[in-house]
Amino acid sequence: MTTTTPETAVPRENTTTPLRLRVARLSILVSLVVLGVKYAAWAVSGSGALLSDAIETILNVLASVGTLWAVAFAARPADDNHPYGHGKAEYVWAVIEGVLVVLTALVILAIAGHDALHIQAPEAPLPGALLNASAGVINLIWALILRRMGRTHHSQALSSAGDHVLSDVWASLALLVGVCLIPLLHWLWLDPLLSALVALNVLWTGFGMMRHSMTGLLDEAPPPELVHEVGQTITQAGQGALEAHDLRMRRVGSLYFVEFHLIVPDEMRITDAHDICDRIENAIRAVLGRSSIHIHVEPEDLAKRHKPGASGVLVM
């Protein structure tokens, strides 16, 4: 016997969705402002390194649009074609964004190679560097906001966007120091070298984003401490049952999926078994929040606690 409830089949709406959508929309505006400032920095300086940074920011604008799409699509409720919801849209976009970041890094490397073969002194490095630094301050504030929102509301799209923007901050800091040193040290080769360093930083970020997002697409289990806590919760709330085993968990966005088998006495009535399941489901949701919980009720002869080598058994 498998027990579910209407709330289990169609989890209640995520009340944080409107806030996440507002943040995603605001991210587009912030990225456009930063792009304008960085373009101005390149225009007044003629620095190839600052041009590379501006090109990377064009990707930030496109990524912000994609993040808004992913958050909006993931917020759609479950339907006949997607009975488990649309939450993985955020992971899909995060992987796509990582690929775009890697491609952008390759373009910047190509520009750096061209500039290394045609070295020219920047026209006004200091004003350009200061403008670029102001864009970096905006990005730093916004990256911290995005990362916090992503962690708080379990949004992979916002977390990836924050990581992407933060990588831009470190690049801007390196450019500020380097471009200011060019007129002092007269190292003209420093400009294409900084472009190459920006590209390598962007490349590292892109691969990291793809690696992190793939864990969600592949249904990686939550941390062992959380799985253990849920197991303890099942044990405490499942009084009257004999055993629970084969606990499996995964998370998609802010929604957890939990499933396990519950052994009950042969003489127990169906209504009593159902009451136990309801009690367990409420206790799990108190720990995890939004959860889709699947409990398969089984008779005594399917218990595993007396079987050699049995693992994942929770005795009530």
Side-chain angles (χ1 to χ4, degrees):
M1 179 179 72
T2 301
T3 68
T4 59
T5 65
E7 185 180 9
T8 305
V10 183
R12 62 185 181 274
E13 182 183 0
N14 186 355
T15 56
T16 65
T17 295
L19 178 60
R20 291 160 65 186
L21 287 172
R22 286 198 296 271
V23 171
R25 293 189 187 102
L26 186 56
S27 189
I28 298 175
L29 177 61
V30 172
S31 60
L32 285 171
V33 171
V34 171
L35 175 60
V37 174
K38 289 191 175 184
Y39 178 81
W42 166 71
V44 301
S45 68
S47 167
L50 296 185
L51 174 61
S52 298
D53 202 22
I55 290 174
E56 202 275 332
T57 306
I58 294 175
L59 176 63
N60 285 0
V61 177
L62 298 176
S64 298
V65 175
T67 298
L68 175 59
W69 168 84
V71 171
F73 193 86
R76 293 182 179 182
D79 54 34
D80 291 339
N81 291 329
H82 303 88
Y84 295 100
H86 301 76
K88 285 196 174 182
E90 292 199 27
Y91 295 94
V92 171
W93 171 249
V95 172
I96 294 174
E97 185 175 359
V99 172
L100 292 175
V101 168
V102 170
L103 293 177
T104 301
L106 297 178
V107 171
I108 295 175
L109 274 176
I111 293 175
H114 176 271
D115 290 345
L117 298 175
H118 305 83
I119 294 179
Q120 294 181 352
E123 298 173 3
L126 186 56
L130 292 177
L131 276 172
N132 206 70
S134 65
V137 172
I138 297 173
N139 267 340
L140 176 60
I141 296 172
W142 189 240
L144 295 177
I145 292 174
L146 287 173
R147 284 161 62 98
R148 182 177 180 181
M149 288 291 297
R151 288 194 303 268
T152 303
H153 302 294
H154 304 293
S155 172
Q156 183 59 42
L158 294 182
S159 293
S160 294
D163 291 340
H164 185 183
V165 175
L166 190 60
S167 72
D168 200 22
V169 173
W170 304 130
S172 296
L173 179 62
L175 290 174
L176 174 63
V177 175
V179 172
C180 289
L181 287 177
I182 291 175
L184 297 177
L185 302 178
H186 303 289
W187 293 348
L188 299 184
W189 51 265
L190 191 58
D191 195 44
L193 175 62
L194 289 171
S195 295
L197 292 177
V198 169
L200 293 176
N201 175 69
V202 173
L203 193 64
W204 176 261
T205 300
F207 281 123
M209 290 166 61
M210 287 189 290
R211 182 180 66 252
H212 183 65
S213 301
M214 286 299 294
T215 61
L217 286 176
L218 297 176
D219 291 331
E220 184 177 273
E225 313 84 62
L226 183 59
V227 176
H228 176 73
E229 183 179 1
V230 171
Q232 292 296 104
T233 300
I234 295 172
T235 300
Q236 294 169 5
Q239 296 302 316
L242 301 177
E243 168 189 303
H245 58 251
D246 294 345
L247 171 63
R248 296 193 299 176
M249 294 174 56
R250 63 189 176 99
R251 194 184 81 185
V252 178
S254 60
L255 175 63
Y256 283 92
F257 290 86
V258 182
E259 59 182 81
F260 60 93
H261 295 199
L262 186 70
I263 303 296
V264 299
D266 290 338
E267 66 276 8
M268 179 174 283
R269 297 183 305 168
I270 293 178
T271 53
D272 293 334
H274 187 269
D275 289 341
I276 293 174
C277 290
D278 282 347
R279 192 167 66 239
I280 292 174
E281 288 175 2
N282 292 332
I284 291 176
R285 289 195 176 94
V287 174
L288 300 179
R290 296 178 66 239
S291 306
S292 176
I293 304 170
H294 182 99
I295 305 175
H296 187 68
V297 178
E298 298 178 333
E300 286 186 59
D301 61 339
L302 294 181
K304 290 188 175 182
R305 56 182 166 178
H306 300 304
K307 296 180 179 179
S311 60
V313 175
L314 307 171
V315 180
M316 304 304 186

